[in-house]
């Protein structure tokens, strides 16, 4: 039998048992974030890079004091960047912050209302970062041609959106995701749009290598419980994909044999 | 001598190294990254790098985000 232990997610030469990647934004506090991370089973956590607060007490803990970079793979994210230059600067800061860590999530946004990616700037930043030795996981639109181009540039994972960031609308265009998957040679991870557990399962059943989410967990009424649900949903969707679903039929197909009834057949 | 640190103007009354400024800000033990005039300054160079008037510093950390 195919089991999760024989089926790791491979990204930039590292293998992960969990195919769920979660964000660290919007939690009530670090403790809730830590508990959700634990319940999610995720081994990769995204973080944002921001200015330190100069008035901050030096004894105040920071996120990475609570969530250990030794135990989890920290995935610094360029969220908030609207051009390639800012995204590249952010990645360089992150690399310095995390002692030479090369894995980054590239996200160059187009506007504040949709948070759709600015694809032109994303491609530009991806080229610069790959040339500079970064392992780039890239957030992009669900356009199969752009996804292919990002792969050809050398990104280690291409991460199309399922729906706008934080919208919780689910996988709005499964057919595009399927086209992306058909041509893929790197892990395709749905990043953004998942609202609840079934959305994550749908992404995995399509054949995605993983799912990245933040708001679906952090904004649930009970984030830790939702994290646990997502853990199972991603695993279940993966198993269903590997198992291979039955074909869809328009009409019924009886599960009990028609022969051998003790009453006259119809 | 005037510096810009994370967008705020600060006056320095005496010459300081980056390491001294970072310590003064209470950040010596924290996991931070620093850009001096748009270029990353590795932590190993904080001690030997002296600040000059007009320098612009950005000091960042990892925080919660998607």
């Amino acid at each position: 039998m195919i089991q999760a232990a024989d089926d790791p997610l491979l990204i930039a030469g590292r293998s992960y048992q969990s195919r769920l990647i979660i964000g660290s934004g919007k939690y009530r506090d670090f403790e809730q974030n830590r508990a959700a991370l634990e319940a999610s089973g995720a081994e990769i956590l995204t973080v944002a890079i921001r200015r330190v607060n100069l008035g901050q007490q030096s004894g105040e803990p920071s996120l990475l004091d609570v969530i250990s970079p030794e135990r989890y793979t920290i995935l610094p994210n360029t969220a908030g960047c609207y051009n390639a230059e800012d995204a590249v600067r952010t990645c360089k800061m992150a690399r310095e912050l995390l002692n030479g860590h090369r894995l980054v999530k590239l996200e160059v946004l187009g506007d504040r209302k949709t948070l759709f990616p600015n694809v032109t700037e994303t491609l530009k930043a991806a080229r610069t970062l790959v040339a500079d030795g970064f392992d780039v996981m890239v957030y992009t639109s669900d356009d199969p041609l752009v996804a292919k181009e990002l792969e050809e540039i050398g990104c280690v994972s291409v991460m199309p959106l399922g729906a706008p960031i934080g919208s919780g609308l689910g996988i709005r265009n499964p057919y595009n995701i399927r086209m992306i998957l058909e041509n893929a040679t790197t892990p395709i991870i749905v990043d953004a749009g998942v609202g609840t557990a079934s959305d994550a399962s749908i992404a995995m059943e399509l054949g995605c290598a993983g799912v990245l989410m933040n708001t679906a967990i952090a904004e649930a009424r009970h984030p830790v419980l939702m994290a646990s649900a997502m853990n199972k949903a991603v695993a279940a969707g993966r198993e269903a994909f590997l198992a291979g679903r039955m074909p869809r039929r328009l009409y019924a197909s009886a599960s009990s044999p028609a022969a051998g009834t003790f009453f006259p057949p119809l | 001598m005037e510096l810009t640190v994370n967008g705020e103007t600060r006056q320095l009354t005496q010459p300081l190294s980056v390491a001294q400024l970072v310590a003064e800000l209470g950040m010596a033990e924290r996991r931070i990254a620093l850009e001096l005039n748009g270029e990353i300054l590795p932590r190993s160079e904080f001690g030997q790098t002296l600040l000059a008037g007009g320098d612009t510093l950005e000091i960042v950390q990892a925080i919660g985000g998607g």
Side-chain angles (χ1 to χ4, degrees):
Chain A
M1 196 178 109
I2 303 168
Q3 284 181 326
D6 316 320
D7 175 43
L9 169 64
L10 295 169
I11 295 175
R14 268 192 76 167
S15 86
Y16 301 92
Q17 293 310 310
S18 171
R19 292 176 174 273
L20 174 59
I21 301 175
I22 75 167
S24 56
K26 301 181 176 174
Y27 287 98
R28 189 182 62 216
D29 50 35
F30 291 151
E31 177 45 33
Q32 189 186 55
N33 192 344
R34 194 204 54 74
L37 179 57
E38 190 89 36
S40 75
E43 295 158 88
I44 306 177
L45 179 79
T46 68
V47 300
I49 304 298
R50 291 291 181 271
R51 281 174 166 169
V52 297
N53 176 2
L54 294 176
Q56 195 172 30
Q57 295 295 307
S58 52
E60 207 176 292
S62 71
L63 177 65
L64 298 185
D65 297 328
V66 180
I67 292 166
S68 156
E70 282 71 47
R71 178 162 172 211
Y72 295 99
T73 293
I74 302 298
L75 181 60
N77 171 8
T78 66
C81 293
Y82 287 83
N83 60 61
E85 191 193 338
D86 291 345
V88 170
R89 261 179 90 189
T90 301
C91 290
K92 287 182 176 171
M93 286 282 225
R95 182 166 60 185
E96 179 61 24
L97 188 71
L98 294 166
N99 307 320
H101 171 102
R102 287 160 39 172
L103 190 68
V104 291
K105 174 182 161 185
L106 172 63
E107 167 176 325
V108 188
L109 302 173
D111 75 26
R112 285 177 192 281
K113 189 171 178 183
T114 64
L115 299 180
F116 277 144
N118 179 329
V119 168
T120 315
E121 291 293 305
T122 300
L123 288 163
K124 198 165 128 189
R127 283 189 197 96
T128 308
L129 290 168
V130 169
D132 197 4
F134 284 96
D135 292 327
V136 181
M137 299 177 74
V138 58
Y139 164 71
T140 184
S141 60
D142 60 9
D143 179 334
L145 303 180
V146 172
K148 195 66 207 166
E149 193 168 347
L150 287 163
E151 209 172 76
E152 283 165 2
I153 286 170
C155 293
V156 297
S157 172
V158 176
M159 306 198 292
L161 52 81
I165 294 173
S167 69
L169 290 173
I171 314 299
R172 300 322 300 151
N173 198 338
Y175 300 101
N176 275 30
I177 302 288
R178 272 177 58 184
M179 287 184 210
I180 291 172
L181 287 164
E182 213 173 83
N183 295 315
T185 52
T186 56
I188 303 298
I189 294 177
V190 162
D191 177 3
V194 165
T196 189
S198 52
D199 297 333
S201 292
I202 288 169
M204 296 308 296
E205 286 169 6
L206 285 169
C208 291
V211 181
L212 193 162
M213 65 181 74
N214 190 148
T215 309
I217 296 175
E219 278 189 6
R221 195 147 42 87
H222 299 293
V224 179
L225 188 57
M226 186 58 91
S228 163
M230 292 300 185
N231 187 351
K232 293 165 186 150
V234 168
R238 179 65 183 175
E239 286 189 8
F241 170 72
L242 293 175
R245 60 153 298 143
M246 60 160 281
R248 287 180 172 86
R249 300 185 179 94
L250 184 57
Y251 291 104
S253 164
S255 298
S256 305
T261 57
F262 56 89
F263 42 80
L266 188 70
Chain B
M1 184 165 77
E2 205 171 271
L3 295 177
T4 307
V5 183
N6 286 1
E8 290 174 21
T9 306
R10 295 181 81 89
Q11 299 294 335
L12 288 192
T13 49
Q14 51 178 9
L16 275 190
S17 68
V18 172
Q20 287 167 317
L21 176 75
V22 166
E24 210 170 86
L25 293 170
M27 303 282 165
E29 305 301 319
R30 298 186 77 90
R31 208 186 274 262
I32 56 163
L34 188 148
E35 231 184 38
L36 175 61
N37 301 323
E39 295 293 332
I40 297 282
L41 187 72
R43 196 177 262 276
S44 56
E45 292 174 25
F46 285 6
Q48 71 211 48
T49 306
L50 288 178
L51 292 163
D55 278 348
T56 298
L57 290 97
E58 289 294 342
I59 309 175
V60 299
Q61 62 179 348
I63 66 157

